[in-house]
Amino acid sequence: GENVEQHPSTLSVQEGDSAVIKCTYSDSASNYFPWYKQELGKGPQLIIDIRSNVGEKKDQRIAVTLNKTAKHFSLHITETQPEDSAVYFCAASIRRDGAGNMLTFGGGTRLMVKP
Amino acid sequence: GAGVSQSPRYKVAKRGQDVALRCDPISGHVSLFWYQQALGQGPEFLTYFQNEAQLDKSGLPSDRFFAERPEGSVSTLKIQRTQQEDSAVYLCASSLRWEGLGGQPQHFGDGTRLSIL
């Protein structure tokens, strides 16, 4: 099955700096890559996603890039703010006929933004 | 509108007891997923429903785990004869009917934190 690796496991940045989180996946058939932000005691919140037919997507301070050849995708957060501090998860999925698009998650990155 | 709602938020049970966890998906979402999240790890897939049909239960760890969605809306995850390794956060997610490359985004509830003593 699919395997998703995520790095780094922890990331500390100064407020205003950029943060980059990287993920690799194993199954070349994966075609949907969401990113989730999880705060303590809360469920994962979708912040951005990308599909395999595009290479980059941006939403204000957040951007995601996808390299299908290398099977890796990255999350970029610019002008970080203390409220960006949370655990971030990447995920990958394959849409399978009659079986939905279950997500395989990476191990998570704890991002700490220091004021 | 209202998001995915899960209850109870916390559940403590003694080893060997049965528990039932409830999920109310977003109205109109035909797809419903259950995930298990161990402390410090990413969620792991348990099972998937499309309307009332359970189409994938490949992630259920044992036959002690059972899920249902009899009317295609509310879903219940039941764990029989609980064991300490069942302690985790159980997350429910829902999405619109599949369409498009890769399917529809999944929206998560805040989960049920299950502790087995």
Side-chain angles (χ1 to χ4, degrees):
Chain A
E2 174 69 281
N3 183 50
V4 178
E5 300 283 343
Q6 183 171 346
H7 301 280
S9 57
T10 61
L11 179 59
S12 182
V13 300
Q14 206 68 35
E15 181 178 0
D17 288 350
S18 295
V20 180
I21 303 170
K22 299 182 179 182
C23 290
T24 60
Y25 60 98
S26 61
D27 194 331
S28 57
S30 289
N31 53 19
Y32 175 65
F33 307 90
W35 286 87
Y36 288 87
K37 175 183 180 182
Q38 188 172 31
E39 297 176 331
L40 194 63
K42 299 285 190 179
Q45 176 191 2
L46 181 68
I47 56 172
I48 195 168
D49 57 11
I50 190 168
R51 300 177 191 276
S52 58
N53 57 351
V54 299
E56 185 173 358
K57 183 177 180 181
K58 188 174 182 179
D59 182 5
Q60 298 182 350
R61 297 187 295 110
I62 296 174
V64 58
T65 59
L66 171 64
N67 183 326
K68 288 189 294 183
T69 303
K71 290 189 285 188
H72 68 69
F73 56 115
S74 301
L75 177 71
H76 304 253
I77 306 174
T78 58
E79 301 172 18
T80 53
Q81 302 167 3
E83 50 265 39
D84 294 330
S85 297
V87 178
Y88 290 80
F89 290 98
C90 62
S93 80
I94 308 167
R95 196 273 174 178
R96 301 169 296 160
D97 287 339
N101 58 322
M102 55 167 279
L103 297 174
T104 301
F105 284 83
T109 297
R110 180 172 299 279
L111 174 64
M112 294 169 285
V113 180
K114 294 178 288 186
Chain B
V4 177
S5 178
Q6 292 188 247
S7 61
R9 286 298 319 279
Y10 305 92
K11 176 70 177 177
V12 179
K14 293 182 179 178
R15 187 164 55 95
Q17 290 182 330
D18 298 348
V19 298
L21 313 179
R22 176 187 170 104
C23 173
D24 283 86
I26 294 171
S27 178
H29 280 195
V30 302
S31 296
L32 186 145
F33 303 80
W34 283 98
Y35 293 84
Q36 180 189 59
Q37 185 174 25
L39 190 63
Q41 298 183 21
E44 293 190 353
F45 171 77
L46 294 177
T47 187
Y48 164 69
F49 290 85
Q50 183 174 302
N51 295 307
E52 68 279 4
Q54 187 175 21
L55 300 184
D56 188 347
K57 51 183 180 180
S58 62
L60 295 176
S62 77
D63 59 6
R64 296 185 297 103
F65 287 70
F66 171 77
E68 60 183 5
R69 194 186 184 195
E71 298 179 356
S73 178
V74 171
S75 177
T76 303
L77 176 67
K78 297 179 179 178
I79 309 173
Q80 298 176 326
R81 305 181 303 282
T82 53
Q83 300 178 5
Q84 283 192 321
E85 59 261 34
D86 299 335
S87 296
V89 175
Y90 291 85
L91 295 164
C92 176
S94 69
S95 69
L96 291 166
R97 183 181 187 83
W98 177 87
E99 59 185 2
L101 184 65
Q104 291 294 321
Q106 295 180 28
H107 301 275
F108 284 80
D110 286 336
T112 294
R113 181 175 296 277
L114 177 65
S115 298
I116 305 300
L117 305 179

